[in-house]
Each structure stands twice: as C-alpha cells, then as structure tokens.
Amino acid sequence: MPVRHGAPGRPYRHRGKQEALNARPDHRNPLVFDTHELGRRPGAMQRLSRSVDAPADLGIEVIGVPAGATVELDLRLESVMEGVLVTGTARAPLTGECVRCLEPVERTLETDFQEMFSYPDADSRARPVADPEDDAEEETFSVEDGLIDLEPVLRDAVVLALPLQPVCREDCPGLCTQCGARLADEPDHHHDAVDDRWAALQGLADSFRVGGRNDVNGAGAGADEKQEK
C-alpha cells in the first residue's frame, strides 16, 4: 500500500547551504546524473528511469528505507534559463516498527519531488531572493561540470514522506501497560484491578490475623504449663 505523506539508523541531518555548495558530484555515485546530453537550450527535456541502491541512513529512527534496497526513480530533466529543473518520483520499500506494539512494519513508499539545479554562471537576477528575516538556511543546488547530485534531494523527499508514527494497523491496541503482552494476540487479556487503598487495608488485616494466632498459641501454651504444675 503506497504511502504518500507530506519526517532506522542515525537521525536525519539536513544539509546546510554551504555544505551543498561545497559538495562536488561523484560520477560513480548512481544518484549523480550527467546533463551534457540535455544541453543548455531552454525547453529541452529528457526523461530517465533508473534503479539505484538506497544510501545509508535514509529514514528516521522508527522507519526508513533499508540501506542497499532498490529505489526506483522516474525523472524528467528540463533545461531552463538558469539551470536544470528536475521533477521526479521515487518508489522504495520501508521497514520499521510499530510505535504501539513494536512489531515489524513493512510498506512501500512513493513520493514526488522537484528541485532546481542552477548553473554556476547563471544570471543571479533570475534566482529567487531570500527573505532577510528568514533565519533558516536555504539549500541550493548547482550543476557542476554538467553533473547533478540527486542524493540530498532524494533524502529530503523520502524523510518528509515518512509516517512519523508508523503502526502495524490503524486499530493496533498496543501492549499491556502492566505486563507488556501484545493485546492484538490476546483480545481477552486483562488484570484484576485492585484498589491500592483496599490492598493496604488487606495487608493490615492479614498482619492482625497472624498476630492473633500467635497470641492464642502463646496463651494456650501458658495454660498447659499451669495445668502441669
């Protein structure tokens, strides 16, 4: 059942602007694409499909795409004045655990994304102007030597599409708070409720009964001794 939401391994780390600018695409990375064939004529378009191995740590603490799992990518690369506009869809398997009963969860994720990769020599006037009051770092991506690196874009798309609280089923009853039993496996599971106040009184009554018996036994023993005398 596809998952389309719109945040296992280490926690997801958002790459900052400077890191993105300094990164150099590695042509050996299957998530790096060559745009030389596309060219720089505005309006040119190229469609690509590629199956790649998922990079490590593609997810959040409770659910994610297993490292090395197959990610299916359908991409459309469009040449525009300031760079290459990439529009795509990613499909990948998810594994994790139910946040209610901790049982394994397996799903299929499908998410869409779109990102602009700017040419280093593009006219800066064509780029959006950042809001000076916005303190958050805006991630920017560039075409480097005709190459674009989709890995950070894929990470953003996948992490934002993940269910924050995955469950094995919508009506999962979870675990027993007293003994940890999985309630879905034991629908009639319950514990007899005992009021703590009554439990304390019961303990006190038990102690009196034990003490009373000891007193009786002691009295009986004394009487026997008197009779013997």
Side-chain angles (χ1 to χ4, degrees):
M1 177 179 178
V3 180
R4 301 182 72 92
H5 298 272
R10 293 193 301 268
Y12 172 69
R13 180 174 63 89
H14 188 74
R15 297 190 349 156
K17 177 179 179 180
Q18 194 59 44
E19 184 179 351
L21 290 173
N22 293 338
R24 302 287 297 185
D26 183 351
H27 69 278
R28 297 169 297 181
N29 186 335
L31 287 169
V32 171
F33 291 78
D34 192 330
T35 67
H36 285 99
E37 185 177 341
L38 176 67
R40 295 187 60 165
R41 181 174 60 84
M45 184 178 69
Q46 184 179 18
R47 293 185 180 274
L48 299 171
S49 293
R50 182 178 294 186
S51 298
V52 302
D53 292 339
D57 306 325
L58 187 55
I60 56 178
E61 184 178 359
V62 291
I63 194 167
V65 181
T70 300
V71 179
E72 301 289 346
L73 296 174
D74 290 324
L75 306 173
R76 185 180 68 197
L77 279 59
E78 299 176 79
S79 179
V80 295
M81 288 294 296
E82 62 269 27
V84 176
L85 179 65
V86 179
T87 305
T89 300
R91 288 175 293 275
L94 294 178
T95 60
E97 64 179 25
C98 175
V99 295
R100 296 179 188 171
C101 69
L102 307 183
E103 285 293 299
V105 172
E106 294 185 358
R107 296 184 181 178
T108 298
L109 175 142
E110 181 175 322
T111 184
D112 300 325
F113 56 88
Q114 186 175 72
E115 189 62 58
M116 170 65 71
F117 289 79
S118 301
Y119 295 126
D121 58 351
D123 188 343
S124 59
R125 291 174 298 179
R127 300 177 184 174
V129 178
D131 185 347
E133 297 182 359
D134 188 357
D135 295 331
E137 288 185 327
E138 181 182 353
E139 207 166 11
T140 60
F141 302 95
S142 300
V143 180
E144 299 287 348
D145 299 325
L147 302 176
I148 58 175
D149 184 1
L150 276 186
E151 181 171 337
V153 177
L154 177 64
R155 286 188 179 277
D156 283 347
V158 169
V159 170
L160 290 174
L162 292 175
L164 294 177
Q165 295 188 319
V167 290
C168 58
R169 67 187 203 195
E170 292 301 323
D171 60 346
C172 174
L175 303 176
C176 174
T177 57
Q178 296 188 47
C179 67
R182 186 169 183 262
L183 299 179
D185 297 333
E186 304 179 37
D188 298 328
H189 179 87
H190 71 281
H191 295 270
D192 293 332
V194 178
D195 192 309
D196 292 340
R197 295 169 297 179
W198 287 111
L201 291 174
Q202 184 64 42
L204 184 60
D206 291 342
S207 66
F208 279 132
R209 281 199 297 270
V210 173
R213 285 197 296 271
N214 290 339
D215 291 343
V216 171
N217 292 337
D224 292 342
E225 290 177 359
K226 290 180 180 179
Q227 290 178 359
E228 290 178 358
K229 291 179 180 182

